Amino acid sequence: MKTALELNAPEMVTNRALLHWLSDIVELTKPKDIYWCNGTQTEWYELSRMLIDQGVMTPLNPELRPDSFLVRSDPNDVARVEDRTFICSVNEADAGPTNNWRDPDLMNEELRTLFDGSMRGRTMYVVPFSMGPLGGPISQVGIQLTDSPYAVLNMRIMTRMGFDVLRLIDNETNWVPAVHSVGMPLEDVFGNTIEDVPWPSNPTKYICHFPETREIWSFGSGYGGNALLSKKCFALRIGSFMGKQEGWLAEHMLLLKLTNPQGKAYHVAAAFPSACGKTNLAMITPTIPGWTAETIGDDIAWLRPGKDGRLYAINPEAGFFGVAPGTGFGTNEVAMNTMWGNTIFTNVALTDDGDVWWEGMTDKVPEHLIDWRGEDWTPSSGRPAAHPNSRFTVPVEQCPTLSNDWFENAGVPIDAIIFGGRRATNVPLVAQAFDWKHGVFMGATMSSEQTAAAEGTVGDLRRDPFAMLPFCGYNMADYWGHWLDIGRKLGKNAPKIFQVNWFRKDDSGSFLWPGFGENSRVLEWICRRIDNSAKTYEAAIGLVPARGSLNLEGLEMPRGAMTKLFRVEPERWLAECDATAEYFSIFGDRLPVEMTKQLQALRRRLKTATL
Ligand code: OXD
Ligand code: MN
């Protein structure tokens, strides 16, 4: 084992397991040196200067976007790779039918072969990070080892990163180890130099999670959730399993604080599949007078029952890693104002005056750009200028609508949980679950049209329970069981549960609901439901707004649109129930009985509705 001195460890590192682990990974991956990230601004400047000098990052025009950079990835490394994402639980059944399972011992062997010498000629960065406020009761810490300085810069934005985290780790502290290599050493086994490229990666990719030992290993990709291991790997896949063991929830949810004209505040958590407008909703500007919305989180929430019996939530992240295309002054002005500077842009287009551009940013399309592949582009090029999954990484503290509650160590009490998806048909604009169990059923039966955040065919309908399909670190049926348990524990303090769908279309394929800021009307109705002051109508699929109960004042809606938005067609829903039964059957006897009961009850209600 290497000594602390050989590992270049700062003096506050006392955790023996950490040094042991680091020594092992250093011996395996054989980096040329080891650098411990302190998280300072000086370090940020030094690393960014190095990446500019190496031609990896292009600095943007400082007058237009100070301290911001453009990075272009390898065109084969542009999204999360779900088919290369593995859950390596001891028993296959514990990973469940929705995850790719691999035997942990075999995977370990495979990984050790891949990582052997994988950092030759590169620096290994040791990145200590906290998910949530340092030392907070819901927070957790991790250490990522990576040979990608680009990942380090992103981690500095996305987490609370640096030596302050190391100071929290003594021999009693639980921390999550995460190893990341882009899989492109700069020396071969004989010591011959291999020439570097701006975006090193490897055609072979592995994103592996060992829930029982809480370990993460990622190989071959430098992009997003494949490389920023704090995010999907830790905060969701490992986090969800930790939550199951310890009685809390790690969720793919935004967090929003709403305040009504009387000054009463509400906190809502909302789960949407990737690229369904979560960031837009998290930064909503309400169109209804007197209401304000404040952002707490746009992607991940950790929720834990508090001492008073209510459910408390934090956003464990410190940055937004948002999808750029579709984010514009017309759709999300808050996000546009958030990224005024200190932002890393990946795979967007470069303007002639040294700023960034992507589809949907402005109505006026620039006449000339350098596209995300580094090639000349004009509106007649016939291809997108920015990659559909291009991203901005920006500190949450720059968000003009950030709530002070983001800083709250103990989190915020949740009043409502919302599930949404991108559904052209069937699912109404909003419906409230009859109770918690029905809400869990609503979450479990969510589906959405596929977007560009992951590899796959855009537009296909896919089941995405709780928007957690690619992110649940254990058997999805057990996860539903865990949600049912949490509901039992919360009892009458449980938040109310709702389902929304901003994306319903009419027969001609046009959206029926204007969306964006107008979604505040739905949020307002939800808040009034929390106070039991909005009237409902009992539809087969849940409680929908009674006529006149949704505030539509000042909104011009085409004739008949509201009826179409709320139409529940029993025949179509019964067909959806058949598909749900088939889906549930893949979980065998792990499926909680309650889910079958809920499905039967829904069928009964639909059949009654047809009478
Ligand atoms: C994300 C995603 O990057 O969900 O947030 O894909
Ligand atoms: Mn997400």
Side-chain angles (χ1 to χ4, degrees), residues 80 82 224-225 231-232 236 252 272-275 278-279 298-300 317 321-323 389 391 451-454 467 470-471:
R80 287 185 288 99
E82 291 180 9
K231 196 171 177 62
K232 306 298 185 180
L236 290 177
H252 193 200
F272 289 80
S274 307
K278 258 197 2 269
T279 304
D298 81 325
D299 194 38
I300 296 175
E317 300 193 282
F321 182 66
V323 178
N389 191 36
R391 300 281 180 149
T451 66
F471 306 125

Tab-separated table of all heavy atoms in Angstrom, residues 80 82 224-225 231-232 236 252 272-275 278-279 298-300 317 321-323 389 391 451-454 467 470-471, ligand 1:
chain	number	residue	atom	x	y	z
A	80	ARG	N	-26.007	9.910	-22.163
A	80	ARG	CA	-25.899	8.769	-21.250
A	80	ARG	C	-26.073	7.480	-22.057
A	80	ARG	O	-26.892	7.418	-22.969
A	80	ARG	CB	-26.976	8.841	-20.167
A	80	ARG	CG	-26.723	9.900	-19.129
A	80	ARG	CD	-27.738	9.858	-18.027
A	80	ARG	NE	-29.043	10.333	-18.459
A	80	ARG	CZ	-30.053	9.576	-18.817
A	80	ARG	NH1	-29.949	8.254	-18.784
A	80	ARG	NH2	-31.193	10.101	-19.199
A	82	GLU	N	-27.438	4.109	-21.717
A	82	GLU	CA	-28.217	3.259	-20.802
A	82	GLU	C	-27.922	1.782	-21.011
A	82	GLU	O	-27.937	1.014	-20.056
A	82	GLU	CB	-29.703	3.573	-20.945
A	82	GLU	CG	-29.990	4.960	-20.389
A	82	GLU	CD	-31.428	5.401	-20.472
A	82	GLU	OE1	-32.300	4.584	-20.808
A	82	GLU	OE2	-31.679	6.583	-20.196
A	224	GLY	N	-21.451	14.081	-19.461
A	224	GLY	CA	-22.594	14.203	-18.550
A	224	GLY	C	-22.652	13.159	-17.456
A	224	GLY	O	-21.683	12.914	-16.742
A	225	GLY	N	-23.835	12.559	-17.367
A	225	GLY	CA	-24.090	11.596	-16.302
A	225	GLY	C	-23.167	10.388	-16.331
A	225	GLY	O	-23.064	9.664	-15.343
A	231	LYS	N	-24.016	12.719	-9.994
A	231	LYS	CA	-25.370	13.041	-10.429
A	231	LYS	C	-26.234	11.794	-10.527
A	231	LYS	O	-26.845	11.363	-9.540
A	231	LYS	CB	-25.275	13.792	-11.767
A	231	LYS	CG	-26.522	14.503	-12.161
A	231	LYS	CD	-26.293	15.389	-13.368
A	231	LYS	CE	-27.563	16.052	-13.815
A	231	LYS	NZ	-28.188	16.946	-12.845
A	232	LYS	N	-26.302	11.206	-11.696
A	232	LYS	CA	-27.209	10.065	-11.870
A	232	LYS	C	-26.687	8.846	-11.115
A	232	LYS	O	-27.456	8.079	-10.545
A	232	LYS	CB	-27.370	9.745	-13.349
A	232	LYS	CG	-27.815	10.946	-14.192
A	232	LYS	CD	-29.158	11.455	-13.758
A	232	LYS	CE	-29.644	12.570	-14.679
A	232	LYS	NZ	-30.957	13.090	-14.271
A	236	LEU	N	-28.776	9.321	-7.677
A	236	LEU	CA	-29.973	8.542	-7.990
A	236	LEU	C	-29.767	7.036	-7.835
A	236	LEU	O	-30.431	6.399	-7.031
A	236	LEU	CB	-30.490	8.888	-9.385
A	236	LEU	CG	-31.086	10.305	-9.472
A	236	LEU	CD1	-31.528	10.633	-10.889
A	236	LEU	CD2	-32.256	10.495	-8.510
A	252	HIS	N	-35.750	11.599	-9.026
A	252	HIS	CA	-35.481	12.404	-10.222
A	252	HIS	C	-36.521	13.527	-10.259
A	252	HIS	O	-37.448	13.503	-11.063
A	252	HIS	CB	-35.602	11.479	-11.443
A	252	HIS	CG	-35.056	12.052	-12.711
A	252	HIS	ND1	-35.419	11.591	-13.950
A	252	HIS	CD2	-34.159	13.041	-12.940
A	252	HIS	CE1	-34.782	12.268	-14.877
A	252	HIS	NE2	-34.016	13.151	-14.292
A	272	PHE	N	-40.236	14.308	-13.689
A	272	PHE	CA	-40.478	14.253	-15.141
A	272	PHE	C	-39.324	13.499	-15.770
A	272	PHE	O	-38.183	13.676	-15.348
A	272	PHE	CB	-40.497	15.653	-15.760
A	272	PHE	CG	-41.687	16.487	-15.409
A	272	PHE	CD1	-41.746	17.154	-14.199
A	272	PHE	CD2	-42.742	16.624	-16.295
A	272	PHE	CE1	-42.840	17.930	-13.863
A	272	PHE	CE2	-43.836	17.410	-15.980
A	272	PHE	CZ	-43.889	18.059	-14.759
A	273	PRO	N	-39.589	12.709	-16.803
A	273	PRO	CA	-38.486	12.082	-17.521
A	273	PRO	C	-37.537	13.145	-18.088
A	273	PRO	O	-37.900	14.329	-18.173
A	273	PRO	CB	-39.186	11.318	-18.651
A	273	PRO	CG	-40.577	11.108	-18.151
A	273	PRO	CD	-40.901	12.323	-17.331
A	274	SER	N	-36.360	12.705	-18.501
A	274	SER	CA	-35.348	13.622	-19.023
A	274	SER	C	-35.899	14.449	-20.187
A	274	SER	O	-36.633	13.926	-21.024
A	274	SER	CB	-34.150	12.828	-19.537
A	274	SER	OG	-33.702	11.958	-18.544
A	275	ALA	N	-35.495	15.725	-20.209
A	275	ALA	CA	-35.836	16.626	-21.301
A	275	ALA	C	-37.343	16.769	-21.533
A	275	ALA	O	-37.816	16.804	-22.662
A	275	ALA	CB	-35.120	16.201	-22.592
A	278	LYS	N	-38.280	19.930	-17.217
A	278	LYS	CA	-38.111	20.048	-15.756
A	278	LYS	C	-37.427	21.349	-15.382
A	278	LYS	O	-37.835	22.038	-14.458
A	278	LYS	CB	-37.260	18.875	-15.232
A	278	LYS	CG	-38.111	17.872	-14.617
A	278	LYS	CD	-37.685	16.808	-13.705
A	278	LYS	CE	-36.326	16.584	-13.206
A	278	LYS	NZ	-35.536	15.688	-14.041
A	279	THR	N	-36.354	21.667	-16.128
A	279	THR	CA	-35.635	22.898	-15.797
A	279	THR	C	-36.547	24.108	-16.026
A	279	THR	O	-36.556	25.051	-15.234
A	279	THR	CB	-34.329	22.990	-16.623
A	279	THR	OG1	-33.573	21.796	-16.354
A	279	THR	CG2	-33.500	24.185	-16.247
A	298	ASP	N	-33.529	21.486	-10.001
A	298	ASP	CA	-34.132	21.241	-11.322
A	298	ASP	C	-34.051	19.790	-11.768
A	298	ASP	O	-34.537	19.445	-12.826
A	298	ASP	CB	-33.491	22.128	-12.394
A	298	ASP	CG	-32.168	21.553	-12.882
A	298	ASP	OD1	-31.439	20.962	-12.058
A	298	ASP	OD2	-31.862	21.683	-14.077
A	299	ASP	N	-33.412	18.918	-10.948
A	299	ASP	CA	-33.231	17.562	-11.472
A	299	ASP	C	-33.359	16.466	-10.420
A	299	ASP	O	-33.944	15.430	-10.693
A	299	ASP	CB	-31.853	17.460	-12.152
A	299	ASP	CG	-31.714	16.213	-13.020
A	299	ASP	OD1	-32.694	15.845	-13.684
A	299	ASP	OD2	-30.638	15.609	-13.024
A	300	ILE	N	-32.781	16.698	-9.239
A	300	ILE	CA	-32.723	15.614	-8.249
A	300	ILE	C	-33.165	16.140	-6.886
A	300	ILE	O	-32.817	17.266	-6.505
A	300	ILE	CB	-31.290	15.049	-8.159
A	300	ILE	CG1	-30.915	14.422	-9.520
A	300	ILE	CG2	-31.169	14.002	-7.043
A	300	ILE	CD1	-29.499	13.924	-9.643
A	317	GLU	N	-27.675	18.905	-5.335
A	317	GLU	CA	-26.711	19.447	-6.294
A	317	GLU	C	-26.461	20.944	-6.080
A	317	GLU	O	-27.256	21.634	-5.439
A	317	GLU	CB	-27.216	19.225	-7.721
A	317	GLU	CG	-27.418	17.742	-8.028
A	317	GLU	CD	-27.600	17.486	-9.504
A	317	GLU	OE1	-28.703	17.716	-10.028
A	317	GLU	OE2	-26.626	17.053	-10.135
A	321	PHE	N	-27.244	21.157	-14.852
A	321	PHE	CA	-26.643	20.580	-16.053
A	321	PHE	C	-27.810	20.442	-17.027
A	321	PHE	O	-28.411	19.388	-17.156
A	321	PHE	CB	-26.007	19.224	-15.708
A	321	PHE	CG	-25.325	18.556	-16.865
A	321	PHE	CD1	-24.199	19.114	-17.447
A	321	PHE	CD2	-25.794	17.361	-17.375
A	321	PHE	CE1	-23.563	18.488	-18.521
A	321	PHE	CE2	-25.165	16.738	-18.452
A	321	PHE	CZ	-24.054	17.309	-19.021
A	322	GLY	N	-28.159	21.569	-17.641
A	322	GLY	CA	-29.419	21.631	-18.388
A	322	GLY	C	-29.242	21.354	-19.871
A	322	GLY	O	-28.174	21.592	-20.443
A	323	VAL	N	-30.329	20.892	-20.487
A	323	VAL	CA	-30.347	20.695	-21.941
A	323	VAL	C	-30.485	22.080	-22.581
A	323	VAL	O	-31.421	22.814	-22.277
A	323	VAL	CB	-31.532	19.804	-22.357
A	323	VAL	CG1	-31.587	19.636	-23.876
A	323	VAL	CG2	-31.430	18.434	-21.695
A	389	ASN	N	-28.728	17.065	-27.433
A	389	ASN	CA	-28.456	16.863	-26.003
A	389	ASN	C	-27.291	17.738	-25.545
A	389	ASN	O	-26.578	17.400	-24.614
A	389	ASN	CB	-28.151	15.378	-25.720
A	389	ASN	CG	-28.125	15.070	-24.231
A	389	ASN	OD1	-28.901	15.626	-23.445
A	389	ASN	ND2	-27.223	14.187	-23.811
A	391	ARG	N	-25.460	20.809	-23.643
A	391	ARG	CA	-25.745	21.166	-22.248
A	391	ARG	C	-25.068	22.452	-21.811
A	391	ARG	O	-24.042	22.846	-22.345
A	391	ARG	CB	-25.224	20.050	-21.337
A	391	ARG	CG	-25.837	18.683	-21.593
A	391	ARG	CD	-27.188	18.582	-20.969
A	391	ARG	NE	-27.819	17.288	-21.182
A	391	ARG	CZ	-28.667	16.725	-20.319
A	391	ARG	NH1	-28.969	17.331	-19.194
A	391	ARG	NH2	-29.225	15.577	-20.592
A	451	THR	N	-36.874	11.163	-25.510
A	451	THR	CA	-36.208	12.386	-25.971
A	451	THR	C	-34.731	12.102	-26.223
A	451	THR	O	-34.317	10.956	-26.165
A	451	THR	CB	-36.341	13.495	-24.897
A	451	THR	OG1	-35.600	13.076	-23.761
A	451	THR	CG2	-37.780	13.752	-24.538
A	452	ALA	N	-33.976	13.178	-26.454
A	452	ALA	CA	-32.574	12.974	-26.863
A	452	ALA	C	-31.601	12.815	-25.702
A	452	ALA	O	-30.416	12.625	-25.921
A	452	ALA	CB	-32.129	14.162	-27.719
A	453	ALA	N	-32.095	12.864	-24.438
A	453	ALA	CA	-31.161	12.815	-23.299
A	453	ALA	C	-30.440	11.476	-23.213
A	453	ALA	O	-29.366	11.379	-22.659
A	453	ALA	CB	-31.885	13.110	-22.004
A	454	ALA	N	-31.075	10.449	-23.736
A	454	ALA	CA	-30.414	9.146	-23.750
A	454	ALA	C	-30.421	8.644	-25.176
A	454	ALA	O	-31.195	9.118	-26.015
A	454	ALA	CB	-31.150	8.172	-22.849
A	467	ALA	N	-40.199	8.518	-13.433
A	467	ALA	CA	-39.091	9.096	-14.206
A	467	ALA	C	-37.754	8.511	-13.746
A	467	ALA	O	-36.702	9.126	-13.894
A	467	ALA	CB	-39.067	10.626	-14.103
A	470	PRO	N	-34.131	4.848	-15.886
A	470	PRO	CA	-32.686	4.629	-16.018
A	470	PRO	C	-31.915	4.893	-14.731
A	470	PRO	O	-30.693	4.819	-14.729
A	470	PRO	CB	-32.282	5.644	-17.092
A	470	PRO	CG	-33.405	6.598	-17.234
A	470	PRO	CD	-34.563	6.152	-16.431
A	471	PHE	N	-32.617	5.234	-13.657
A	471	PHE	CA	-31.904	5.747	-12.480
A	471	PHE	C	-32.153	4.985	-11.187
A	471	PHE	O	-31.596	5.334	-10.149
A	471	PHE	CB	-32.272	7.226	-12.258
A	471	PHE	CG	-32.062	8.088	-13.467
A	471	PHE	CD1	-33.088	8.867	-13.995
A	471	PHE	CD2	-30.831	8.122	-14.093
A	471	PHE	CE1	-32.899	9.657	-15.115
A	471	PHE	CE2	-30.624	8.906	-15.221
A	471	PHE	CZ	-31.661	9.676	-15.737
B	1	OXD	C1	-30.347	14.589	-17.114
B	1	OXD	C2	-31.182	13.481	-17.576
B	1	OXD	O1	-29.236	14.765	-17.626
B	1	OXD	O2	-32.196	13.210	-16.934
B	1	OXD	O3	-30.786	15.282	-16.194
B	1	OXD	O4	-30.844	12.845	-18.571
